[in-house]
């Protein structure tokens, strides 16, 4: 007998990332080529027609793994029995808006979606927050869904991780599959710290293979930190294809495991490892097995790295305070 379908929620499903993610999930990129799925697509009423169009296309694609598509603007219906929830919907920053305004809009969205997930999702639901500010949206979700175990709520920094792999591979002129164990520390923002100190390329330590510390501490770090903005400038739209692909990587490794000897970066609840602030959603190197992640321990951190971890950690604490103020004012 075949496997039972798994219900996968995509919020913001009529948007750029949602459109790319729906097809990638439907072709098995997220949960594997043997795992049937039922897609739950959520967007807001103004996007309802576009959302129905996405559903029509998914039917037209005659996808063997897809056993149903629910397209809805009702958050409670969308969350019913979902085992995986990819939260892409959110309020984007618009011209003239202060950070606080964006935060307060997203705090309300993530508060109500947390309540719907808590009430309706399958026990053990795994949540990935993509929408910005991703780490803090995930934290708000956690604060408002106390019955979902904190380790089940994560934020996407895998795109930044993959961007770092890509930059090193391009610089060395090697295939990206030979580059591994880079780390994204901290926030999915321009304060994130992309770190190659423990990474390898073709089995050699990346710093030895590159022999270019100035690039590694300079252009490499700023390119990865600013890559999202650079793509928006080029395309006039967000990095939808690579964000969707990386969201699939994140969930696939979480559910099906990481390769032996390899870690990936995930935004997870911080236990204070490596001097990161506790109780914020912080990106760490993690290994996954049996559907659980674990922070890789015992890596050496020099003064330079500690300084960078502090900067991004401080930003997350500030974001948390702002978000809690917004919550208190609701
Ligand atoms: N963590 C990461 O690596 C990345 C995060 N992002 C973020 O992902 C988010 C989505 O990006 P795009 O798809 O390009 O944006 P988009 O604007 O094309 O799509 C967002 C969708 O969310 C919907 N939406 C808004 N409020 C909603 C709500 N309350 N419930 C459900 N749906 C809602 C909108 O109607 C829209 O269809 C943005 O916040 C963006 O900044 C983008 C790239 C990378
Ligand atoms: O700011 C954005 O929407 C884009 C973003 O997060 C990214 O591409 O990393």
């Amino acid at each position: 007998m075949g496997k039972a379908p798994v219900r996968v929620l995509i919020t913001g499903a009529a948007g750029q990332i949602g459109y790319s993610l729906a097809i990638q999930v439907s072709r098995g990129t997220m949960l594997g080529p043997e795992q049937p799925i039922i897609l739950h697509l959520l967007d807001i009423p103004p996007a309802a027609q576009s959302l129905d169009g996405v559903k029509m296309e998914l039917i037209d694609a005659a996808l063997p793994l897809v056993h149903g598509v629910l397209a809805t603007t009702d958050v409670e219906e969308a969350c019913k029995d979902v085992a995986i929830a990819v939260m892409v919907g959110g309020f984007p920053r618009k011209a003239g808006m202060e950070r606080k305004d964006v935060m307060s809009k997203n705090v309300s969205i993530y508060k109500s979606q947390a309540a719907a997930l808590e009430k309706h999702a399958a026990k053990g639901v795994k949540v990935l927050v993509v929408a910005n500010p991703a780490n803090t949206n995930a934290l708000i979700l956690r604060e408002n869904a106390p019955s979902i175990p904190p380790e089940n709520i994560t934020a996407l920094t895998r795109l930044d991780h993959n961007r770092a792999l890509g930059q090193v591979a391009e610089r060395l002129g090697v295939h990206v599959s030979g580059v591994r164990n880079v780390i994204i520390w901290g926030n999915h923002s321009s304060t994130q710290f992309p770190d190659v100190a423990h990474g390898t390329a073709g089995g050699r330590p990346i710093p030895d293979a590159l022999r270019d510390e100035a690039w590694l501490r300079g252009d490499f770090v700023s390119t990865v930190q600013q890559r999202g903005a650079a793509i928006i400038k080029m395309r006039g739209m967000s990095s939808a294809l690579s964000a969707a692909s990386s969201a699939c990587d994140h969930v696939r490794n979480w559910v099906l495991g990481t390769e032996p000897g390899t870690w990936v970066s995930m935004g997870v609840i911080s236990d204070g490892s490596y001097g990161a602030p506790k109780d914020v959603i912080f990106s760490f190197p993690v290994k996954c097995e049996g559907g659980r992640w674990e922070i890789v321990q015992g890596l050496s951190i020099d003064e330079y790295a500690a300084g960078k971890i502090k900067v991004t950690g401080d930003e997350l604490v500030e974001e948390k305070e702002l978000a809690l103020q917004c919550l208190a004012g609701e």
Side-chain angles (χ1 to χ4, degrees), residues 56-139:
M56 285 160 69
E57 281 207 74
L58 288 165
I59 293 168
D60 295 348
L63 296 153
L65 289 176
V66 177
H67 284 233
V69 181
L70 169 74
T72 181
T73 57
D74 176 347
V75 65
E76 307 249 336
E77 187 187 18
C79 292
K80 189 101 185 74
D81 297 331
V82 297
I84 306 285
V86 189
M87 315 301 285
V88 186
F91 196 90
R93 183 165 173 155
K94 295 193 176 155
M97 280 179 84
E98 298 289 335
R99 240 160 73 91
K100 193 159 187 225
D101 302 330
V102 189
M103 187 70 86
S104 97
K105 295 268 185 204
N106 282 294
V107 160
S108 317
I109 293 172
Y110 278 80
K111 189 177 169 187
S112 66
Q113 295 189 348
L117 278 171
E118 175 158 86
K119 203 157 144 205
H120 297 291
K123 198 167 177 293
V125 62
K126 286 181 160 60
V127 183
L128 166 61
V129 178
V130 176
N132 283 318
N135 301 51
T136 301
N137 285 342
L139 190 73

Coordinates of all heavy atoms in Angstrom, one line a residue, residues 56-139:
M56 N -6.1 26.0 -10.3 CA -6.4 25.5 -11.7 C -5.1 24.9 -12.4 O -5.1 23.9 -13.0 CB -7.0 26.6 -12.5 CG -8.5 26.9 -12.1 SD -9.0 28.5 -12.7 CE -9.0 28.3 -14.5
E57 N -4.0 25.7 -12.2 CA -2.8 25.2 -12.8 C -2.3 23.9 -12.2 O -1.7 23.1 -13.0 CB -1.7 26.3 -12.7 CG -1.9 27.4 -13.7 CD -0.5 28.1 -13.9 OE1 0.3 27.5 -14.6 OE2 -0.3 29.2 -13.3
L58 N -2.5 23.8 -10.9 CA -2.0 22.5 -10.3 C -2.8 21.3 -10.8 O -2.3 20.2 -11.0 CB -2.0 22.7 -8.8 CG -1.0 23.6 -8.2 CD1 -1.3 24.0 -6.7 CD2 0.4 23.0 -8.2
I59 N -4.1 21.6 -11.0 CA -4.9 20.5 -11.6 C -4.4 20.2 -13.0 O -4.2 19.0 -13.4 CB -6.4 20.9 -11.6 CG1 -6.9 21.0 -10.1 CG2 -7.3 19.9 -12.4 CD1 -8.2 21.7 -10.0
D60 N -4.2 21.3 -13.8 CA -3.7 21.1 -15.2 C -2.4 20.4 -15.3 O -2.1 19.8 -16.3 CB -3.6 22.5 -15.9 CG -5.0 23.2 -16.0 OD1 -6.0 22.5 -15.7 OD2 -5.0 24.4 -16.3
A61 N -1.6 20.5 -14.3 CA -0.2 19.9 -14.3 C -0.3 18.4 -14.1 O 0.7 17.7 -14.3 CB 0.7 20.5 -13.3
A62 N -1.5 17.8 -13.8 CA -1.7 16.4 -13.6 C -0.5 15.7 -12.8 O 0.2 14.9 -13.3 CB -1.8 15.7 -15.0
L63 N -0.4 16.2 -11.6 CA 0.7 15.8 -10.7 C 0.5 14.5 -10.0 O -0.5 14.5 -9.1 CB 1.0 17.0 -9.8 CG 1.4 18.3 -10.5 CD1 1.1 19.5 -9.6 CD2 2.9 18.2 -10.8
P64 N 1.3 13.5 -10.2 CA 1.0 12.2 -9.5 C 1.0 12.2 -8.0 O 0.2 11.5 -7.4 CB 2.1 11.3 -10.0 CG 2.7 12.0 -11.2 CD 2.4 13.5 -11.1
L65 N 1.8 13.1 -7.4 CA 1.9 13.1 -5.9 C 0.7 13.9 -5.3 O 0.5 13.8 -4.1 CB 3.2 13.7 -5.5 CG 4.5 12.9 -5.7 CD1 5.7 13.7 -5.3 CD2 4.4 11.5 -5.0
V66 N 0.0 14.7 -6.1 CA -1.0 15.6 -5.5 C -2.3 14.9 -5.4 O -2.9 14.6 -6.4 CB -1.0 16.9 -6.3 CG1 -2.1 17.8 -5.7 CG2 0.3 17.6 -6.2
H67 N -2.8 14.8 -4.1 CA -4.1 14.1 -3.9 C -5.2 15.0 -3.5 O -6.2 14.6 -3.1 CB -3.9 13.0 -2.8 CG -3.2 11.8 -3.3 ND1 -3.7 10.5 -3.2 CD2 -2.1 11.7 -4.0 CE1 -2.9 9.7 -3.8 NE2 -1.9 10.4 -4.3
G68 N -4.9 16.3 -3.7 CA -6.0 17.3 -3.4 C -5.4 18.7 -3.3 O -4.2 18.8 -2.9
V69 N -6.1 19.7 -3.7 CA -5.7 21.1 -3.5 C -6.8 21.9 -2.8 O -7.9 21.9 -3.4 CB -5.3 21.8 -4.8 CG1 -4.8 23.2 -4.6 CG2 -4.2 21.0 -5.6
L70 N -6.6 22.4 -1.7 CA -7.5 23.3 -1.0 C -7.0 24.7 -1.2 O -5.9 25.0 -0.7 CB -7.6 22.9 0.5 CG -8.4 23.9 1.3 CD1 -9.9 23.8 1.1 CD2 -8.1 23.6 2.8
A71 N -7.8 25.6 -1.8 CA -7.4 27.0 -2.0 C -8.4 27.8 -1.2 O -9.6 27.7 -1.4 CB -7.4 27.4 -3.4
T72 N -8.0 28.5 -0.2 CA -8.9 29.2 0.7 C -8.4 30.5 1.2 O -7.1 30.7 1.3 CB -9.3 28.2 1.9 OG1 -10.2 28.9 2.7 CG2 -8.0 27.9 2.7
T73 N -9.3 31.4 1.7 CA -8.9 32.6 2.3 C -9.2 32.5 3.8 O -9.2 33.5 4.6 CB -9.5 33.8 1.7 OG1 -10.9 33.6 1.8 CG2 -9.1 34.0 0.3
D74 N -9.7 31.3 4.3 CA -10.1 31.1 5.7 C -8.9 30.4 6.4 O -8.6 29.2 6.1 CB -11.3 30.2 5.7 CG -11.8 29.9 7.1 OD1 -11.0 30.1 8.0 OD2 -12.9 29.4 7.2
V75 N -8.3 31.1 7.3 CA -7.1 30.6 8.0 C -7.4 29.3 8.8 O -6.6 28.4 8.9 CB -6.4 31.7 8.8 CG1 -7.2 32.1 10.0 CG2 -5.0 31.2 9.3
E76 N -8.6 29.2 9.4 CA -8.9 28.1 10.2 C -9.0 26.8 9.3 O -8.5 25.8 9.6 CB -10.2 28.3 10.9 CG -10.3 29.6 11.7 CD -10.3 29.4 13.2 OE1 -10.7 28.3 13.7 OE2 -9.8 30.3 13.9
E77 N -9.7 27.0 8.2 CA -9.8 25.9 7.2 C -8.5 25.5 6.7 O -8.1 24.3 6.6 CB -10.8 26.3 6.1 CG -11.1 25.2 5.1 CD -11.9 25.7 3.9 OE1 -11.9 26.9 3.6 OE2 -12.5 24.8 3.2
A78 N -7.6 26.5 6.4 CA -6.3 26.2 5.8 C -5.4 25.4 6.7 O -4.6 24.6 6.3 CB -5.6 27.5 5.5
C79 N -5.6 25.6 8.1 CA -4.7 24.9 9.0 C -5.1 23.5 9.4 O -4.4 22.8 10.1 CB -4.5 25.8 10.3 SG -3.7 27.3 10.0
K80 N -6.3 23.1 9.0 CA -6.9 21.9 9.4 C -6.0 20.7 9.1 O -5.8 20.4 7.9 CB -8.3 21.7 8.8 CG -9.1 20.6 9.3 CD -10.2 21.1 10.4 CE -10.9 20.0 11.0 NZ -10.2 19.2 12.0
D81 N -5.5 20.0 10.1 CA -4.7 18.7 10.0 C -3.4 18.8 9.2 O -2.9 17.8 8.8 CB -5.6 17.6 9.3 CG -6.8 17.3 10.1 OD1 -6.7 17.4 11.4 OD2 -7.9 17.0 9.6
V82 N -2.9 20.1 9.1 CA -1.6 20.2 8.3 C -0.5 19.6 9.2 O -0.4 19.9 10.4 CB -1.3 21.6 7.8 CG1 -2.4 22.0 6.8 CG2 -1.2 22.6 8.9
A83 N 0.4 18.9 8.5 CA 1.6 18.4 9.2 C 2.8 19.2 8.9 O 3.8 19.2 9.7 CB 1.9 16.9 8.7
I84 N 2.8 20.0 7.8 CA 3.9 20.9 7.5 C 3.2 22.2 7.2 O 2.3 22.3 6.4 CB 4.6 20.4 6.2 CG1 5.2 19.0 6.3 CG2 5.8 21.4 5.9 CD1 6.3 18.8 7.2
A85 N 3.7 23.3 7.7 CA 3.2 24.6 7.5 C 4.3 25.6 7.0 O 5.3 25.8 7.8 CB 2.5 25.2 8.7
V86 N 4.2 26.0 5.8 CA 5.3 27.0 5.3 C 4.6 28.3 5.2 O 3.7 28.6 4.4 CB 5.8 26.5 3.9 CG1 7.0 27.3 3.6 CG2 6.2 25.0 4.0
M87 N 5.1 29.2 6.1 CA 4.4 30.5 6.2 C 5.2 31.6 5.4 O 6.2 32.1 5.8 CB 4.5 30.9 7.7 CG 4.1 29.8 8.7 SD 2.5 29.1 8.5 CE 1.4 30.4 9.2
V88 N 4.6 31.8 4.2 CA 5.2 32.7 3.3 C 4.5 34.1 3.2 O 5.0 35.1 2.8 CB 5.3 32.1 1.9 CG1 6.0 33.0 0.9 CG2 5.9 30.7 1.9
G89 N 3.2 34.0 3.7 CA 2.4 35.2 3.6 C 2.7 36.2 4.7 O 3.0 35.8 5.9
G90 N 2.7 37.5 4.4 CA 3.0 38.5 5.4 C 2.8 39.9 4.8 O 2.4 40.0 3.6
F91 N 3.0 40.9 5.6 CA 2.8 42.2 5.1 C 4.2 42.8 4.7 O 5.1 42.9 5.6 CB 2.2 43.1 6.2 CG 1.6 44.3 5.7 CD1 0.3 44.4 5.3 CD2 2.4 45.5 5.6 CE1 -0.2 45.6 4.8 CE2 1.9 46.7 5.1 CZ 0.6 46.7 4.7
P92 N 4.4 43.2 3.5 CA 5.7 43.7 3.1 C 5.8 45.1 3.5 O 4.9 45.9 3.7 CB 5.6 43.6 1.5 CG 4.1 43.7 1.2 CD 3.4 43.1 2.4
R93 N 7.1 45.5 3.5 CA 7.4 47.0 3.8 C 7.0 47.8 2.6 O 7.4 47.4 1.5 CB 8.9 47.1 4.2 CG 9.3 48.5 4.5 CD 10.6 48.4 5.2 NE 11.1 49.7 5.4 CZ 12.0 50.0 6.4 NH1 12.5 49.1 7.1 NH2 12.5 51.2 6.5
K94 N 6.3 48.9 2.8 CA 5.9 49.8 1.7 C 6.6 51.1 1.9 O 7.0 51.4 3.0 CB 4.4 49.9 1.7 CG 3.7 48.6 1.3 CD 2.3 48.8 1.0 CE 1.7 47.5 0.6 NZ 0.3 47.4 0.8
A95 N 6.7 51.8 0.8 CA 7.4 53.1 0.9 C 6.8 54.0 2.0 O 5.6 54.0 2.3 CB 7.1 53.9 -0.5
G96 N 7.8 54.6 2.8 CA 7.4 55.5 3.8 C 7.1 54.8 5.2 O 6.8 55.4 6.1
M97 N 7.1 53.4 5.2 CA 6.7 52.7 6.4 C 8.0 52.6 7.3 O 9.0 52.3 6.8 CB 6.2 51.3 6.1 CG 4.7 51.3 5.7 SD 4.2 49.7 5.4 CE 3.8 49.1 7.0
E98 N 7.7 52.8 8.6 CA 8.8 52.5 9.6 C 8.9 51.0 9.9 O 7.8 50.3 9.7 CB 8.5 53.3 10.9 CG 8.4 54.8 10.8 CD 9.8 55.4 10.5 OE1 10.8 54.8 10.9 OE2 9.8 56.5 9.9
R99 N 10.0 50.6 10.4 CA 10.2 49.2 10.8 C 9.1 48.7 11.8 O 8.5 47.7 11.7 CB 11.5 49.0 11.5 CG 12.5 48.1 10.9 CD 13.9 48.4 11.4 NE 14.0 48.0 12.7 CZ 14.5 46.8 13.1 NH1 14.8 45.9 12.2 NH2 14.6 46.5 14.4
K100 N 8.7 49.7 12.7 CA 7.7 49.4 13.7 C 6.4 49.1 13.0 O 5.6 48.2 13.5 CB 7.7 50.5 14.7 CG 6.9 50.2 15.9 CD 7.2 51.1 17.0 CE 6.5 50.5 18.2 NZ 5.7 51.2 19.0
D101 N 6.1 49.8 12.0 CA 4.8 49.7 11.3 C 4.7 48.3 10.7 O 3.7 47.6 10.7 CB 4.5 50.7 10.2 CG 4.6 52.1 10.8 OD1 4.3 52.3 11.9 OD2 5.0 53.0 10.0
V102 N 5.8 47.9 10.0 CA 5.8 46.6 9.4 C 5.7 45.5 10.4 O 5.0 44.5 10.3 CB 7.1 46.3 8.6 CG1 7.1 45.1 7.8 CG2 7.5 47.5 7.7
M103 N 6.4 45.7 11.5 CA 6.4 44.7 12.6 C 5.0 44.6 13.2 O 4.5 43.5 13.4 CB 7.4 45.1 13.7 CG 7.6 44.1 14.8 SD 8.5 42.7 14.2 CE 10.2 43.2 14.4
S104 N 4.3 45.7 13.4 CA 3.0 45.6 14.0 C 2.0 44.9 13.1 O 1.2 44.1 13.6 CB 2.6 46.9 14.5 OG 1.7 47.5 13.6
K105 N 2.1 45.1 11.8 CA 1.2 44.4 10.9 C 1.5 42.9 11.0 O 0.6 42.0 11.0 CB 1.5 44.8 9.4 CG 1.1 46.3 9.2 CD -0.3 46.4 8.7 CE -0.6 47.8 8.3 NZ -2.0 48.1 8.4
N106 N 2.8 42.5 10.9 CA 3.1 41.1 10.9 C 2.9 40.4 12.3 O 2.5 39.2 12.3 CB 4.6 40.9 10.5 CG 4.7 41.0 9.0 OD1 4.1 40.2 8.2 ND2 5.3 42.1 8.5
V107 N 3.0 41.2 13.3 CA 2.7 40.6 14.7 C 1.2 40.2 14.7 O 0.9 39.1 15.2 CB 3.0 41.7 15.8 CG1 2.3 41.3 17.1 CG2 4.5 41.7 16.0
S108 N 0.3 41.0 14.2 CA -1.1 40.6 14.2 C -1.3 39.4 13.3 O -2.1 38.5 13.7 CB -2.0 41.7 13.6 OG -1.7 42.9 14.0
I109 N -0.7 39.4 12.1 CA -0.9 38.2 11.2 C -0.4 37.0 11.9 O -1.1 35.9 12.0 CB -0.2 38.4 9.9 CG1 -0.8 39.6 9.1 CG2 -0.1 37.2 9.1 CD1 0.0 40.0 7.9
Y110 N 0.8 37.0 12.5 CA 1.4 35.8 13.0 C 0.7 35.4 14.3 O 0.7 34.2 14.6 CB 2.9 35.9 13.1 CG 3.4 35.5 11.7 CD1 3.4 36.5 10.7 CD2 3.7 34.2 11.3 CE1 3.7 36.1 9.4 CE2 4.0 33.9 10.0 CZ 4.0 34.8 9.1 OH 4.3 34.5 7.8
K111 N 0.2 36.3 15.0 CA -0.6 36.0 16.2 C -1.8 35.2 15.9 O -2.1 34.1 16.4 CB -1.0 37.3 17.0 CG -1.6 37.1 18.3 CD -1.9 38.4 19.0 CE -2.7 38.1 20.2 NZ -3.2 39.4 20.8
S112 N -2.6 35.6 14.9 CA -3.8 34.9 14.5 C -3.5 33.6 13.8 O -4.2 32.6 14.0 CB -4.8 35.8 13.7 OG -4.2 36.1 12.5
Q113 N -2.5 33.6 13.0 CA -2.2 32.3 12.3 C -1.6 31.3 13.3 O -1.9 30.1 13.2 CB -1.2 32.6 11.1 CG -2.0 33.4 10.1 CD -1.3 33.6 8.8 OE1 -0.1 33.3 8.6 NE2 -2.0 34.1 7.8
A114 N -0.9 31.8 14.4 CA -0.4 30.9 15.4 C -1.6 30.2 16.1 O -1.6 29.0 16.3 CB 0.4 31.6 16.4
A115 N -2.6 31.0 16.4 CA -3.8 30.5 17.1 C -4.5 29.4 16.2 O -5.0 28.4 16.7 CB -4.8 31.6 17.4
A116 N -4.6 29.7 14.9 CA -5.3 28.8 14.0 C -4.5 27.5 13.9 O -5.0 26.4 13.9 CB -5.5 29.4 12.6
L117 N -3.2 27.6 13.8 CA -2.3 26.4 13.8 C -2.5 25.6 15.0 O -2.6 24.3 15.0 CB -0.8 26.8 13.6 CG -0.4 27.1 12.1 CD1 1.0 27.6 12.1 CD2 -0.5 25.8 11.2
E118 N -2.4 26.3 16.2 CA -2.5 25.6 17.4 C -3.8 24.8 17.6 O -3.8 23.7 18.0 CB -2.4 26.6 18.6 CG -2.6 26.0 19.9 CD -1.9 26.8 21.0 OE1 -2.6 27.7 21.5 OE2 -0.8 26.5 21.4
K119 N -4.9 25.4 17.1 CA -6.2 24.8 17.2 C -6.4 23.6 16.2 O -7.0 22.6 16.5 CB -7.2 25.9 16.9 CG -8.6 25.7 17.5 CD -9.3 27.0 17.7 CE -10.8 26.9 17.4 NZ -11.4 28.1 17.0
H120 N -5.9 23.8 15.0 CA -6.3 22.9 13.9 C -5.3 22.0 13.3 O -5.6 21.0 12.6 CB -6.9 23.7 12.8 CG -8.2 24.5 13.2 ND1 -9.4 23.9 13.5 CD2 -8.4 25.8 13.3 CE1 -10.2 24.8 13.8 NE2 -9.7 26.0 13.7
A121 N -4.0 22.4 13.5 CA -2.9 21.6 12.8 C -2.8 20.2 13.4 O -3.2 20.0 14.5 CB -1.6 22.3 12.8
A122 N -2.2 19.3 12.6 CA -1.9 18.0 13.1 C -0.9 18.1 14.3 O -0.1 19.0 14.3 CB -1.3 17.1 12.0
K123 N -1.0 17.1 15.2 CA -0.1 17.1 16.4 C 1.3 16.9 15.8 O 1.5 16.1 14.8 CB -0.5 15.9 17.3 CG 0.1 16.0 18.6 CD -0.6 15.0 19.5 CE 0.1 15.0 20.9 NZ 1.4 14.6 21.0
G124 N 2.3 17.6 16.3 CA 3.6 17.5 15.7 C 3.9 18.3 14.5 O 4.9 18.1 13.8
V125 N 3.0 19.2 14.2 CA 3.2 20.0 13.0 C 4.5 20.7 13.0 O 5.0 21.1 14.0 CB 2.0 21.1 12.9 CG1 2.1 22.1 14.0 CG2 2.1 21.9 11.5
K126 N 5.2 20.7 11.8 CA 6.5 21.4 11.7 C 6.2 22.7 10.9 O 5.6 22.6 9.8 CB 7.4 20.5 10.9 CG 8.0 19.3 11.7 CD 8.9 18.5 10.8 CE 9.9 17.6 11.6 NZ 9.2 16.6 12.5
V127 N 6.7 23.8 11.5 CA 6.4 25.1 10.9 C 7.7 25.7 10.4 O 8.7 25.8 11.2 CB 5.8 26.0 12.0 CG1 5.4 27.4 11.4 CG2 4.5 25.4 12.6
L128 N 7.7 26.2 9.2 CA 8.8 27.0 8.7 C 8.3 28.4 8.3 O 7.4 28.5 7.5 CB 9.4 26.3 7.4 CG 10.3 27.2 6.5 CD1 11.5 27.6 7.3 CD2 10.7 26.4 5.3
V129 N 8.9 29.4 8.9 CA 8.5 30.8 8.6 C 9.5 31.4 7.6 O 10.7 31.4 7.8 CB 8.4 31.7 9.8 CG1 8.0 33.1 9.4 CG2 7.4 31.1 10.8
V130 N 8.9 31.8 6.4 CA 9.7 32.4 5.4 C 9.5 33.9 5.4 O 10.5 34.7 5.1 CB 9.3 31.8 4.0 CG1 10.0 32.5 2.8 CG2 9.5 30.3 4.0
A131 N 8.3 34.4 5.6 CA 8.0 35.8 5.5 C 8.8 36.7 6.4 O 9.0 36.3 7.6 CB 6.5 36.0 5.7
N132 N 9.3 37.8 5.9 CA 10.1 38.7 6.8 C 9.3 39.6 7.7 O 8.2 39.9 7.3 CB 10.9 39.6 5.8 CG 12.1 38.8 5.3 OD1 12.8 38.0 6.0 ND2 12.4 39.0 4.0
P133 N 9.8 39.9 8.8 CA 11.1 39.5 9.4 C 11.0 38.0 9.9 O 10.4 37.8 10.9 CB 11.4 40.5 10.5 CG 10.0 40.9 10.9 CD 9.1 40.9 9.7
A134 N 11.6 37.1 9.2 CA 11.3 35.7 9.3 C 11.6 35.2 10.8 O 10.8 34.5 11.4 CB 12.2 34.9 8.3
N135 N 12.8 35.6 11.3 CA 13.1 35.0 12.7 C 12.1 35.5 13.7 O 11.6 34.8 14.6 CB 14.5 35.5 13.1 CG 15.6 35.0 12.2 OD1 15.5 35.3 11.0 ND2 16.6 34.4 12.7
T136 N 11.7 36.8 13.6 CA 10.9 37.4 14.6 C 9.4 37.0 14.4 O 8.7 36.8 15.3 CB 11.1 38.9 14.7 OG1 12.5 39.1 15.0 CG2 10.2 39.6 15.7
N137 N 9.0 36.8 13.1 CA 7.6 36.3 12.9 C 7.5 34.9 13.5 O 6.5 34.5 14.1 CB 7.4 36.2 11.4 CG 7.1 37.5 10.7 OD1 6.8 38.5 11.4 ND2 7.2 37.6 9.4
A138 N 8.6 34.1 13.4 CA 8.6 32.8 13.9 C 8.5 32.8 15.5 O 7.8 32.0 16.1 CB 9.8 32.0 13.5
L139 N 9.2 33.8 16.0 CA 9.1 34.0 17.5 C 7.7 34.4 18.0 O 7.2 33.8 19.0 CB 10.1 35.1 17.9 CG 10.3 35.2 19.4 CD1 11.2 34.0 19.9 CD2 11.0 36.5 19.8

